[in-house]
Amino acid sequence: LNFMPYSLETIHPLFIHFPIALLSTGLFFDIVAMIFHQEDLEHAGFWCMLMGVISCVFTNFTGLMAFLAEGELSDLFNWSYRYHFLIAWCTTLTFAILFWVRIKFQLDLRYSTAIRSMYVIIHILTVGILFYGAHLGAKAAERI
């Protein structure tokens, strides 16, 4: 009997949904909070972003383990995997930086329309790039 149906390599498809859902929902809460001036929604966006960044790290790690279970590290730079890998780690880094900016420049983001607008634009672009990277991962794994 196999008591461990999941391994580090096989759980990546389960983990990928967390950063996608948390980071896009956090962005949604942030935009709605800006429109309706609701601090509670801003807090929801904060916590979604925090959990999204944390889940990105685990998702990237399980993805690397899944890849190494079937290929070698040198194969990572094959064209079909390279972009997914680079986008996954770059968006994780970008979200981590955005989260740091959110904490460090909290007052600037609240009272400066220009800074807040720039932050939201970068946040929107990063979520879009995250979606595209997830699409590339599904193509590389031949799920679509």
Side-chain angles (χ1 to χ4, degrees):
L1 290 173
N2 185 359
F3 292 105
M4 291 293 290
Y6 297 106
S7 66
L8 200 54
E9 299 86 30
T10 60
I11 61 173
H12 181 66
L14 301 174
F15 273 64
I16 58 176
H17 301 92
F18 287 97
I20 294 167
L22 287 165
L23 293 166
S24 59
T25 302
L27 174 62
F28 173 75
F29 282 141
D30 288 342
I31 291 172
V32 174
M34 283 176 29
I35 293 170
F36 294 108
H37 306 286
Q38 292 293 318
E39 194 172 334
D40 289 345
L41 292 173
E42 188 178 327
H43 292 298
F46 175 89
W47 289 109
C48 283
M49 189 175 203
L50 172 64
M51 297 311 295
V53 169
I54 291 169
S55 68
C56 274
V57 174
F58 287 105
T59 302
N60 290 348
F61 180 68
T62 60
L64 184 59
M65 293 300 106
F67 178 80
L68 293 176
E70 296 182 17
E72 295 183 17
L73 197 55
S74 61
D75 295 333
L76 191 59
F77 297 101
N78 176 332
W79 74 271
S80 62
Y81 298 109
R82 173 180 56 215
Y83 297 116
H84 173 64
F85 175 78
L86 291 173
I87 288 173
W89 283 100
C90 287
T91 54
T92 298
L93 178 63
T94 305
F95 279 119
I97 291 169
L98 283 171
F99 189 70
W100 174 81
V101 165
R102 184 180 192 136
I103 293 169
K104 180 77 174 168
F105 300 102
Q106 181 179 5
L107 292 176
D108 294 324
L109 289 169
R110 181 165 293 186
Y111 296 112
S112 172
T113 305
I115 293 173
R116 183 175 53 246
S117 297
M118 181 63 73
Y119 176 85
V120 170
I121 289 169
I122 294 170
H123 197 167
I124 291 169
L125 288 172
T126 308
V127 167
I129 293 168
L130 173 71
F131 287 171
Y132 180 66
H135 171 74
L136 291 179
K139 281 181 71 173
E142 298 178 355
R143 289 192 184 102
I144 58 169

